[in-house]
Amino acid sequence: MDNKQAALELGQKPVGQLLMQYALPAIVAMTASSLYNIIDRSMIGQVVGPEAIAGLGITFPLMNLGAAFGAAVGVGASTCISVKLGQKDYQTAEHLLGNTVTLNLIVGFLFMTVCLTFLDPILRFFGASDVTLPYAREFMVVILLGNMVTHMYFGMNAVLRAAGKPRHAMYATLFTVACNIVLVVAFVWWFRWGIRGAALATVTSQSLALCWQMWIFSDQKELIHLKRGIYRLKATLVRNIIAIGISPFLMNATACVVVIFMNNQFVHYGGDMAVGAYSIANSVVMVLFMFVMGMTQGMQPIVGYNYGAENYDRMFRCLWLTIGVSTVFLLTGWALCMLFPYQMARVFTTDATLIAMAGRGIRLNMLVFFVVGSQAVITNFFQCIGKVRISIFLSLTRQLILLIPMAYVFPLFLGLDGVWYSMAVSDFGSFAMTLPLLFWYIKRLKASPSQEASPSPSEGGGV
């Protein structure tokens, strides 16, 4: 298909077909990625031991923080590109691609340098004990050395979807996952390189996928492609990227703060094994949530393009369809987790104590998980159309404003169970606040659509 036509069909093709066309590759890629994470952690738990699983759990906040900076560039740039393609401004979209490359290199290098310099104090702050610190450090040294590759890989995948190439983004992820699985089996099980081998497998597979992504964008036949003159940072474009990217940045940064706090609460009320149980429960949650993330990734270029083209009916049709499909899927996943939590925990470890803790944690954590899909989709919808302040408010509500106070208060009365219950209650509370904001925005848009007539990320995402 002609590259320009691939972009134009975002405003012409039936929304249901279009969403499946863009979401299915993302869902396949995200599901494969989450299955890799299960294999990775299962291999570490079975070969290295339960303490390594707990050590891996300690690294989640730092991984989330790295993802936060990566999302600020990747998601911000891809959303801006979607809007510019909708406005037929192909030259600006191309310069956004070049600025994405430059920003990823700068941000990735700075994050790597700072974190490697202060790695032990950071991990201690995140909840590492004398037992788990060596495992966490061994894993993160390798991950941080490959941080620029990781940032660039995720950023280029987001731009591939925005440029009308969802299947190429899927192929990149599937290649990374397949390569990762082969290498982690070789490095961890065969060569016995431990948790360091798992990290090395991740960085190596992402590096190979990035080479292919850059080769695609080097093709001059592409609608937007790499060439001279687009890499110099332009203040306007950087402001646009950051204006959109600040929302996913804060979402991931807040997740980092939350995991730090939760790790410390689990250590305080249940010890290192409770941190391991939290790591396992999080892995199960992420397998299901990856489907929702795939749906939102598929939704993003469609919503962004039609918002830029002022096709608001198509934009909202895409939103409601995404919410419906995500909710049905999470209801199915919720039922399975309520029925088979201990069987799921056994995938990660053979330790009876850890299985018992993780099984109960999975059930308590997922009590109302089926409402999380609509909350996440709506939050990402506001991000896609540049309504940054609304998106930030919704993401902070779920992860920071509600969860942390509850996770502090509930355990005072319920002990370790209180930490688990706080996650379910905050999920439902944030859901109850999200729907009214969406209906308010729809009502405002119908009342005065002229206020949205010239949408642009450069407006800073004003509400």
Side-chain angles (χ1 to χ4, degrees):
M1 180 182 295
D2 177 75
N3 289 304
K4 187 172 290 188
Q5 180 60 36
L8 290 175
E9 73 174 8
L10 289 167
Q12 299 169 355
K13 197 171 184 177
V15 171
Q17 294 180 28
L18 202 57
L19 181 60
M20 291 303 101
Q21 176 183 329
Y22 276 77
L24 281 177
I27 290 168
V28 171
M30 298 297 285
T31 302
S33 182
S34 63
L35 289 176
Y36 158 71
N37 286 330
I38 287 181
I39 294 171
D40 189 21
R41 291 163 197 176
S42 176
M43 187 72 66
I44 291 171
Q46 301 286 348
V47 176
V48 187
E51 293 85 2
I53 283 285
L56 192 62
I58 295 299
T59 68
F60 287 167
L62 194 51
M63 298 280 281
N64 282 337
L65 189 58
F69 284 99
V73 178
V75 177
S78 63
T79 301
C80 290
I81 288 172
S82 293
V83 173
K84 290 303 177 183
L85 290 176
Q87 296 172 341
K88 311 295 190 297
D89 188 355
Y90 303 122
Q91 184 177 6
T92 301
E94 202 160 55
H95 279 85
L96 282 164
L97 170 63
N99 276 224
T100 303
V101 172
T102 305
L103 282 174
N104 271 316
L105 290 174
I106 294 172
V107 173
F109 177 78
L110 292 176
F111 185 82
M112 174 192 70
T113 303
V114 173
C115 290
L116 283 175
T117 302
F118 304 102
L119 185 56
D120 278 15
I122 290 172
L123 294 174
R124 287 285 189 186
F125 179 70
F126 289 173
S129 66
D130 291 338
V131 175
T132 58
L133 180 62
Y135 295 104
R137 183 200 305 116
E138 193 174 5
F139 183 80
M140 284 310 304
V141 165
V142 178
I143 292 295
L144 288 170
L145 287 173
N147 190 65
M148 285 189 290
V149 170
T150 300
H151 278 204
M152 190 72 71
Y153 162 72
F154 285 113
M156 290 298 101
N157 241 25
V159 175
L160 278 173
R161 286 188 295 271
K165 293 186 172 294
R167 289 188 180 181
H168 289 74
M170 177 187 72
Y171 296 150
T173 304
L174 289 179
F175 171 81
T176 304
V177 169
C179 185
N180 234 325
I181 291 173
V182 172
L183 292 178
V184 80
V185 171
F187 294 167
V188 177
W189 181 72
W190 190 5
F191 294 133
R192 299 286 168 166
W193 289 351
I195 199 168
R196 180 186 300 165
L200 185 60
T202 298
V203 173
T204 302
S205 58
Q206 289 176 350
S207 299
L208 294 174
L210 176 61
C211 291
W212 183 67
Q213 292 170 330
M214 300 304 284
W215 178 77
I216 291 174
F217 281 115
S218 298
D219 187 351
Q220 295 186 2
K221 295 179 182 178
E222 297 297 329
L223 183 60
I224 58 173
H225 57 270
L226 300 172
K227 62 182 182 182
R228 291 183 179 180
I230 64 173
Y231 304 103
R232 179 178 295 177
L233 294 179
K234 293 187 176 183
T236 302
L237 299 184
V238 173
R239 281 198 300 269
N240 289 349
I241 292 171
I242 299 304
I244 301 296
I246 192 66
S247 176
F249 170 81
L250 288 176
M251 290 170 65
N252 283 278
T254 301
C256 171
V257 173
V258 167
V259 175
I260 294 170
F261 182 80
M262 298 299 280
N263 276 343
N264 281 281
Q265 288 294 85
F266 278 113
V267 167
H268 179 72
Y269 288 98
D272 286 336
M273 282 294 161
V275 176
Y278 179 44
S279 175
I280 291 172
N282 255 349
S283 298
V284 174
V285 166
M286 289 309 297
V287 170
L288 299 174
F289 197 66
M290 285 300 101
F291 180 91
V292 179
M293 293 299 294
M295 290 298 297
T296 59
Q297 286 183 7
M299 175 187 76
Q300 183 267 323
I302 304 169
V303 167
Y305 184 98
N306 285 283
Y307 182 72
E310 302 175 32
N311 293 327
Y312 302 131
D313 287 341
R314 288 176 58 82
M315 178 181 74
F316 283 119
R317 282 203 301 274
C318 183
L319 169 66
W320 292 120
L321 185 56
T322 306
I323 290 174
V325 174
S326 299
T327 301
V328 170
F329 178 83
L330 289 189
L331 272 170
T332 305
W334 169 83
L336 292 174
C337 289
M338 293 298 107
L339 291 172
F340 308 109
Y342 299 100
Q343 290 85 341
M344 293 178 179
R346 287 192 186 97
V347 172
F348 297 89
T349 181
T350 57
D351 187 271
T353 302
L354 186 53
I355 289 172
M357 274 190 169
R360 180 168 177 77
I362 289 170
R363 272 186 175 159
L364 297 182
N365 186 19
M366 299 193 64
L367 282 174
V368 295
F369 189 66
F370 47 86
V371 306
V372 171
S374 57
Q375 197 273 346
V377 171
I378 294 169
T379 299
N380 277 274
F381 165 76
F382 283 117
Q383 172 189 304
C384 290
I385 62 174
K387 302 302 177 184
V388 177
R389 283 179 281 181
I390 299 178
S391 179
I392 291 173
F393 171 74
L394 293 176
S395 59
L396 292 182
T397 296
R398 177 171 179 253
Q399 298 189 83
L400 195 64
I401 298 172
L402 295 178
L403 179 55
I404 286 184
M406 290 177 181
Y408 177 79
V409 174
F410 286 12
L412 298 177
F413 303 95
L414 301 173
L416 181 60
D417 281 355
V419 187
W420 294 110
Y421 278 123
S422 66
M423 291 185 276
V425 175
S426 66
D427 284 343
F428 186 80
S430 61
F431 165 75
M433 299 177 68
T434 299
L435 284 179
L437 266 176
L438 176 63
F439 292 138
W440 165 81
Y441 178 75
I442 293 173
K443 182 179 179 181
R444 194 189 81 157
L445 183 60
K446 289 181 177 179
S448 53
S450 60
Q451 293 184 6
E452 303 285 333
S454 301
S456 171
S458 63
E459 294 169 0
V463 177

